[in-house]
Amino acid sequence: MKPDEILQDRTATSVPTVAAPARKVYVKTYGCQMNVYDSQRMTDALEADGYVATPTIDDADLVLLNTCHIREKAAEKVYSELGRIRDMKEERAEAGRELVIGVTGCVAQAEGREIIRRAPAVDLVIGPQTYHRLPEALKKVRGGGKVVETDYALDDKFEHLPQPKRTEIISRGVTAFLTVQEGCDKFCTFCVVPYTRGSEVSRPVAQILAEAERLAEAGVREVTLLGQNVNAWHGVGPDGSEWGLGRLLFRLAEIPGLARLRYTTSHPRDMDDELIAAHRDLAALMPYLHLPVQSGSDRMLKAMNRKHSAADYLRLIERIRNARPDIAMSGDFIVGFPGETEADFEATMQLVRNVGYAQAFSFKYSPRPGTPGAELKDQVEEPVKDERLQRLQGLLMDQQSGFVASLVGRTIEALIEKPGRQAGQIVGRSPWLQPVILDEKAGRIGDIVNARIMRTGHASLFAEPA
């Protein structure tokens, strides 16, 4: 007998059908925007399997931790979280209620069965390449087994994951992520991505355009193209020619209703002429570029296997700014890579002074098992890393504050995204990703309005309609 059916004799009085309550899934996301996108895709796949998403872990029948493996502390946070969820699972079992625990993402891919050894309460481990197998894996778990799915799939995962319904797109708002590329072939010596996400794979043009059109039809105004190395994307266009990311952006800009485009994360070696031309010619392509360099020292760049020099990077920045003078730059920096001297660090500081960043992310080097960097000698001592990181972050914060202050008095375009926290306010998004606080009379959600920046807050811009 199925749980959602009541069997009855033909002569019996009709009894209304009683549906079993839907199972609930809670997904906690760590790390990059690709993981945010993947978490939503997993939720979509599970909704087709009878689950509904819940924002509260206490309500969940299934908990998924979508993990990041870029830094050691990120992985340890996952194991700490699993300890807390284990206690919840034990309490549920005493009350006769089941709780299924799954680990997904890059830690799952890297550590596989080791996760179940360290955290026996985990029922399911599934890597980023096999999310379309998630409903099938959960059936095996409900059958009493533990499942580890980390084999690289030969199938196209983009093809297998279900497309969100129009109502689901609308509920997510007027901005959206769209994955176009996954994996990386660069093999930087500090990075685990080639080992956890695999080699570079580009999503087919037709799939990208179809999803972008669905998003626009549902009211999405701004799309961010995602990839571990997004500007390495390439595909065969409808005309049979090979397209790069620049050509794709030109085509996406033609979709009615799609007013804004972004992409992340980039590698300097894949910024070609057509992509720079897109920054010059496409008003829809926002004047904000995240272009990681990691270090300003050629010696460190070589040790990192970046395959570009500091001078190469600075020349590229000059070309991009000549094409789009109002562009704001963002970047990534690693402090304390093995063998880094004070002179190497000072070269990084000088590069930062030369570029001038509107935003940047900086981290202490963390050895990741299985990467060449973890085997290098001359590991930098933690107190030295700490002191250098503080100096670098101080410089970057000064630059960020200067950029934000330069916006006061300017009139910018803001995409209205949601109601504000305070009554009578709405929140927009600037071309450079800052929240813009406006009076609710300035426009409706989805509108792009002219806003004059009056003052700045800690992380926001306060504006009035221009």
Side-chain angles (χ1 to χ4, degrees):
M1 183 175 70
K2 295 181 180 179
D4 60 346
E5 293 178 343
I6 297 177
L7 301 182
Q8 49 194 302
D9 187 272
R10 290 183 181 180
T11 60
T13 303
S14 176
V15 178
T17 300
V18 178
R23 294 187 292 265
K24 295 183 179 180
V25 56
Y26 171 82
V27 183
K28 183 169 184 176
T29 307
Y30 300 79
C32 67
Q33 290 169 316
M34 182 73 81
N35 271 11
V36 175
Y37 178 90
D38 282 345
S39 291
Q40 190 61 63
R41 288 305 199 188
M42 284 188 281
T43 302
D44 293 337
L46 289 170
E47 286 179 348
D49 194 44
Y51 284 86
V52 295
T54 175
T56 307
I57 192 171
D58 293 336
D59 295 338
D61 304 289
L62 167 64
V63 173
L64 297 177
L65 302 185
N66 191 9
T67 60
C68 172
H69 204 249
I70 292 296
R71 285 173 295 281
E72 184 177 10
K73 287 185 179 179
E76 289 307 316
K77 283 181 182 178
V78 172
Y79 284 108
S80 177
E81 184 73 14
L82 286 172
R84 289 191 287 271
I85 300 172
R86 174 202 61 207
D87 296 340
M88 182 184 298
K89 183 173 185 174
E90 291 172 354
E91 292 172 4
R92 293 276 189 89
E94 292 175 0
R97 184 180 170 194
E98 183 184 43
L99 176 63
V100 176
I101 303 174
V103 179
T104 71
C106 292
V107 173
Q109 185 66 43
E111 302 196 12
R113 293 190 178 278
E114 175 68 9
I115 294 173
I116 291 178
R117 188 192 71 79
R118 286 186 61 178
V122 172
D123 303 288
L124 169 69
V125 177
I126 189 163
Q129 310 303 324
T130 48
Y131 290 154
H132 59 280
R133 299 179 190 168
L134 187 55
E136 179 185 347
L138 282 169
K139 289 178 184 177
K140 294 177 183 177
V141 169
R142 291 195 291 269
K146 291 183 182 286
V147 177
V148 177
E149 282 269 15
T150 55
D151 292 336
Y152 281 97
L154 296 177
D155 305 300
D156 178 5
K157 91 167 198 174
F158 297 124
E159 185 72 38
H160 287 279
L161 286 174
Q163 297 299 330
K165 302 181 183 71
R166 185 177 185 275
T167 53
E168 294 165 353
I169 295 172
I170 292 171
S171 69
R172 295 173 198 169
V174 295
T175 64
F177 294 132
L178 198 169
T179 291
V180 300
Q181 182 272 342
E182 197 168 330
C184 185
D185 294 341
K186 298 298 186 286
F187 287 93
C188 298
T189 55
F190 55 81
C191 187
V192 297
V193 166
Y195 310 102
T196 57
R197 290 280 183 170
S199 59
E200 292 175 359
V201 178
S202 294
R203 191 176 184 185
V205 173
Q207 283 189 29
I208 295 169
L209 296 180
E211 183 167 346
E213 287 168 355
R214 278 194 298 272
L215 292 170
E217 289 168 1
V220 169
R221 306 298 315 279
E222 176 180 301
V223 165
T224 300
L225 307 183
L226 294 182
Q228 270 82 36
N229 190 21
V230 67
N231 53 345
W233 178 89
H234 63 278
V236 178
D239 58 358
S241 66
E242 186 78 6
W243 285 17
L245 186 65
R247 181 75 178 274
L248 178 65
L249 287 163
F250 277 101
R251 176 61 183 84
L252 289 169
E254 298 173 359
I255 295 176
L258 208 55
R260 287 181 161 193
L261 298 171
R262 303 181 189 271
Y263 63 91
T264 194
T265 291
S266 306
H267 195 289
R269 287 164 52 197
D270 291 312
M271 287 293 300
D272 61 20
D273 292 344
E274 191 168 31
L275 185 51
I276 294 174
H279 281 282
R280 182 192 65 211
D281 298 336
L282 287 179
L285 184 55
M286 292 294 93
Y288 180 84
L289 175 60
H290 185 66
L291 191 63
V293 63
Q294 309 301 353
S295 175
S297 162
D298 287 347
R299 199 172 70 87
M300 289 295 96
L301 290 170
K302 183 176 181 181
M304 293 175 176
N305 196 37
R306 294 290 290 175
K307 296 183 179 176
H308 63 78
S309 68
D312 293 335
Y313 182 83
L314 291 172
R315 282 192 293 268
L316 180 58
I317 295 294
E318 184 178 12
R319 290 180 60 205
I320 294 167
R321 282 182 165 156
N322 286 337
R324 186 72 183 262
D326 65 337
I327 200 163
M329 298 304 303
S330 173
D332 288 347
F333 295 91
I334 295 174
V335 168
F337 191 76
E340 183 186 69
T341 65
E342 182 63 25
D344 294 320
F345 175 71
E346 177 54 36
T348 297
M349 295 286 280
Q350 188 57 49
L351 182 141
V352 172
R353 295 184 194 105
N354 290 339
V355 173
Y357 288 91
Q359 174 68 278
F361 304 93
S362 52
F363 313 95
K364 293 187 297 182
Y365 172 69
S366 174
R368 306 310 299 129
T371 61
E375 307 300 322
L376 293 176
K377 297 179 181 179
D378 299 325
Q379 297 285 333
V380 178
E381 295 180 356
E382 286 299 316
V384 176
K385 291 182 188 178
D386 290 336
E387 191 274 335
R388 289 177 183 170
L389 183 63
Q390 288 178 17
R391 274 193 281 159
L392 175 60
Q393 289 183 339
L395 175 58
L396 290 169
M397 285 300 296
D398 286 345
Q399 291 187 348
Q400 181 178 339
S401 297
F403 173 74
V404 172
S406 74
L407 299 177
V408 175
R410 290 180 56 181
T411 297
I412 68 169
E413 289 188 340
L415 169 61
I416 299 178
E417 290 189 279
K418 58 188 177 182
R421 292 182 179 179
Q422 297 183 15
Q425 290 183 342
I426 52 174
V427 180
R429 177 183 295 201
S430 82
W432 307 281
L433 291 176
Q434 301 106 328
V436 181
I437 312 302
L438 286 155
D439 185 277
E440 64 181 357
K441 296 177 182 178
R444 298 175 299 176
I445 292 173
D447 289 346
I448 296 176
V449 300
N450 289 325
R452 183 180 297 109
I453 308 303
M454 306 305 295
R455 62 184 177 89
T456 66
H458 175 66
S460 302
L461 305 174
F462 291 83
E464 63 180 21

